């Protein structure tokens, strides 16, 4: 669980782990877990690419001050997906114990 003190400079934030993922995958053999982790890495890469496209779109169509437009909201949603997947991936990598080789698509 993440602890937020309100002052991001004062103390480092605790690492977020997803205990249900640890419970689901902790007993799997590494040979079964590694393909799951590779799939999560690929999904994270895809979501990051989508977020980069949404950012470019939002940059081309700036919102009027104080009112986010559809392009900016699409970027925000894409970044939420990226961060959520990063938490999943980080947890899976902790369970696996290493970063598997994952070729670029």
């Amino acid at each position: 669980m993440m602890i937020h003190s309100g002052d991001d400079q004062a103390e480092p934030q605790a690492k977020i782990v997803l205990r249900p993922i640890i419970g689901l995958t902790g007993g799997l053999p590494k040979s079964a877990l590694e393909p799951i982790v590779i799939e999560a890495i690929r999904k994270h890469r895809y979501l990051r690419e989508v977020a980069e496209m949404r950012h470019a779109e939002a940059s081309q169509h700036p919102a009027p001050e104080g009112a986010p437009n559809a392009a900016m909201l699409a970027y925000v949603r894409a970044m939420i997906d990226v961060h959520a997947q990063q938490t999943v991936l980080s947890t899976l990598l902790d369970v696996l114990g290493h970063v598997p080789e994952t070729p670029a698509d």
Side-chain angles (χ1 to χ4, degrees), residues 30-46 85 89 92-93 96 98-105:
K30 301 294 183 187
S31 61
L33 181 57
E34 193 164 292
I36 294 170
V37 174
I38 290 170
E39 182 180 339
I41 290 169
R42 287 189 169 127
K43 183 174 184 178
H44 183 263
R45 288 176 180 172
Y46 169 77
Q85 181 63 19
L89 177 56
L92 286 169
L93 288 169
L96 183 61
H98 69 278
V99 177
E101 190 170 326
T102 308
D105 294 329

Side-chain angles (χ1 to χ4, degrees), residues 41-100:
I41 290 169
R42 287 189 169 127
K43 183 174 184 178
H44 183 263
R45 288 176 180 172
Y46 169 77
L47 291 172
R48 187 185 62 214
E49 288 174 11
V50 169
E52 288 172 358
M53 288 186 298
R54 298 295 176 256
H55 183 262
E57 291 166 0
S59 297
Q60 291 175 352
H61 302 54
E65 183 134 350
N69 61 14
M72 179 53 72
L73 293 175
Y75 169 66
V76 169
R77 286 192 298 274
M79 285 304 296
I80 289 169
D81 290 344
V82 167
H83 289 294
Q85 181 63 19
Q86 178 60 49
T87 304
V88 169
L89 177 56
S90 179
T91 302
L92 286 169
L93 288 169
D94 285 348
V95 174
L96 183 61
H98 69 278
V99 177

